[in-house]
Amino acid sequence: MQTRRSALQTIILAGVAGPSLLAGFPAVAEEVKSLKAAYKDDFVVGVAMNAAQIAGKDALGDSIIRAQFNSISPENCLKWENVHPEPGRYDFVVPDQYVAFGEKNGMFILGHNLVWHSQVPDWVFHDDKGDLLTRDALLARMQDHIRTVVGRYKGRIQSWDVVNEALNDDGSLRQSLWYKIIGDDYIAKAFQYAHDADPEAQLNYNDYSLVDESKRHGAVALVTKLKEQGIPVATVGMQGHYNLDWPSAELVDATISDFAKLGVKVAVSEFDIDVLPPATSQHTADVALNIKQNPTLNPYANGLPDRVQKQLAKRYGDLFDVFVKHRDVVNRVTFWGLTDADSWKNDWPVKGRTNYPLLFDRSGQPKLAYYAVIRAARK
Ligand code: 9MR
């Protein structure tokens, strides 16, 4: 078991030595000691923090986060069901700790998220009798939530995912209860309420699989319409739940260019690269998906072969090359979790697999992919 000090030292020495797997890779500049240092002139590098890290119960994790990242996202604690579980009852204990961690360490702090079809309690859409709310009543409830949550962290949470995953794969608007009850202007209203609550906050539309043509067109149309209406959408969050074969670097490149043309910034907001055999042919991050376990879907339960480790590193390097190319428009790259042990990808879309999608292994050691990302930074 690594002590906290030795794990950190390994990371700090990343630029000097690196694991034996690195043989054949060009040396990394000695002065580059962290992800945030490597990309300091390009974009902030973020990580999603889980409950243990926020509560200070993962000392090694927290030390790596402090050493490597200059932005944080809350993996779950600001979702509606957690921060506002019952009518009139908000629970800010964990979010307060999360924001305090970011402030103490001078980080760019994200809020995730305000309006989503998932992780939102049923009561939000119903009245006391159990009937669906009217448009006006649901708008009032949405406004109260946004005003309360965004208002509490005004000037402290710098950027909010205002609306999350509002699009279907074909680019049409998802038939969520938000859409069904309020109508398609629920998105504009959510942005307006967030802007009213904190006029300085950077406001984002966040979604997955935006590289796919139909969905990308839907997002372009949505953002175009919002901008025409004067709605302050600043950034499109391309979540970036990718795998070893999909999407190609060219596709990511073209997608960023398409959003850049709209006059918005792009954040790679939930980055990870799944190395396991795909359990579905869908390009999705729909949390509702749950596919049955089967051993062929979990081939690396006892460790990741060097061959795949190298494939993952190359893939990370190739995609960071694209982000650096677009450094004028990409304002942030955030990893969805710190170590492979923390990743949601161990349980989705199949529960109980052993996945390796991030830059740090299960003991907090930097993987070959970490060095590839450092190397992709402009020299
Ligand atoms: O990583 C998150 C996981 O711990 C939660 O159980 C899940 C449901 O709240 O959400 C995961 O994060 C999702 C994010 O909020 C929105 N985009 C897809 C992410 C992965 O499912």
Side-chain angles (χ1 to χ4, degrees):
M1 181 72 186
Q2 285 282 335
T3 63
R4 173 182 151 161
R5 180 174 291 275
S6 66
L8 256 186
Q9 272 171 347
T10 312
I11 294 164
I12 286 163
L13 288 171
V16 185
S20 58
L21 260 178
L22 264 180
F25 279 72
V28 178
E30 198 169 317
E31 66 274 15
V32 175
K33 293 185 175 64
S34 65
L35 297 167
K36 65 184 174 188
Y39 289 96
K40 68 179 186 336
D41 296 327
D42 302 320
F43 36 72
V44 293
V45 185
V47 63
M49 291 185 77
N50 64 25
Q53 289 154 353
I54 293 169
K57 291 180 182 154
D58 175 3
L60 173 60
D62 286 351
S63 64
I64 300 172
I65 292 171
R66 277 193 296 268
Q68 293 289 330
F69 299 92
N70 50 10
S71 175
I72 51 173
S73 293
E75 186 173 6
N76 288 304
C77 71
L78 275 166
K79 290 174 181 172
W80 193 310
E81 68 179 8
N82 296 321
V83 74
H84 190 181
E86 289 167 24
R89 183 167 77 82
Y90 288 86
D91 183 348
F92 288 116
V93 175
V94 183
D96 282 358
Q97 291 172 326
Y98 161 76
V99 173
F101 181 95
E103 286 186 323
K104 195 170 166 207
N105 295 295
M107 293 166 154
F108 184 80
I109 306 174
L110 263 290
H112 172 85
N113 55 56
L114 297 169
V115 175
W116 190 19
H117 64 278
S118 191
Q119 272 48 60
V120 52
D122 257 4
W123 64 258
V124 172
F125 303 101
H126 296 92
D127 64 16
D128 294 346
K129 296 190 207 103
D131 295 330
L132 280 184
L133 291 184
T134 62
R135 166 183 160 89
D136 285 350
L138 184 56
L139 279 172
R141 198 162 267 183
M142 179 202 268
Q143 185 173 23
D144 165 73
H145 178 84
I146 292 176
R147 193 160 41 199
T148 306
V149 179
V150 175
R152 183 177 183 91
Y153 301 110
K154 183 177 179 190
R156 301 173 67 203
I157 287 189
Q158 286 98 348
S159 180
W160 278 97
D161 291 341
V162 178
V163 176
N164 198 42
E165 303 173 4
L167 292 165
N168 292 313
D169 292 347
D170 69 2
S172 60
L173 285 179
R174 191 188 284 272
Q175 303 285 299
S176 66
L177 283 174
W178 294 112
Y179 174 89
K180 285 184 182 157
I181 297 173
I182 298 174
D184 62 5
D185 64 340
Y186 86 89
I187 298 174
K189 293 282 187 194
F191 274 88
Q192 198 56 59
Y193 297 152
H195 182 68
D196 293 345
D198 186 352
E200 300 298 318
Q202 174 195 82
L203 305 182
N204 317 322
Y205 175 70
N206 193 51
D207 212 330
Y208 57 81
S209 302
L210 292 178
V211 292
D212 283 348
E213 200 179 350
S214 314
K215 195 158 182 178
R216 190 197 319 181
H217 288 160
V220 165
L222 173 63
V223 172
T224 303
K225 189 169 161 200
L226 290 172
K227 289 198 69 95
E228 278 168 7
Q229 295 169 337
I231 299 296
V233 52
T235 302
V236 171
M238 292 171 57
Q239 290 186 3
H241 295 297
Y242 297 155
N243 60 40
L244 288 174
D245 307 317
W246 171 90
S248 67
E250 292 72 27
L251 205 51
V252 174
D253 187 339
T255 307
I256 295 174
S257 296
D258 278 2
F259 290 127
K261 285 180 211 142
L262 306 179
V264 287
K265 299 287 184 195
V266 169
V268 182
S269 55
E270 303 182 14
F271 198 22
D272 49 27
I273 297 176
D274 194 325
V275 302
L276 296 181
T280 166
S281 59
Q282 286 171 271
H283 297 157
T284 181
D286 185 343
V287 292
L289 200 63
N290 183 4
I291 295 166
K292 205 166 166 289
Q293 170 72 280
N294 124 23
T296 63
L297 293 176
N298 193 25
Y300 311 132
N302 298 319
L304 191 63
D306 286 358
R307 171 183 55 83
V308 188
Q309 195 84 261
K310 283 185 175 159
Q311 235 182 312
L312 179 69
K314 173 153 189 342
R315 183 88 169 112
Y316 261 116
D318 290 349
L319 289 172
F320 265 83
D321 284 344
V322 175
F323 306 152
V324 171
K325 175 181 168 195
H326 289 284
R327 57 194 288 271
D328 291 345
V329 63
V330 172
N331 59 15
R332 173 171 59 93
V333 178
T334 292
F335 292 87
W336 206 241
L338 178 63
T339 74
D340 287 339
D342 301 323
S343 174
W344 73 295
K345 281 282 179 174
N346 294 304
D347 287 306
W348 185 95
V350 181
K351 284 207 189 344
R353 294 200 293 178
T354 307
N355 214 329
Y356 301 83
L358 296 166
L359 301 189
F360 296 91
D361 72 14
R362 286 176 162 70
S363 58
Q365 293 295 313
K367 294 157 62 180
L368 194 61
Y370 169 90
Y371 300 98
V373 167
I374 294 275
R375 245 192 340 266
R378 293 176 323 133
K379 302 299 174 300

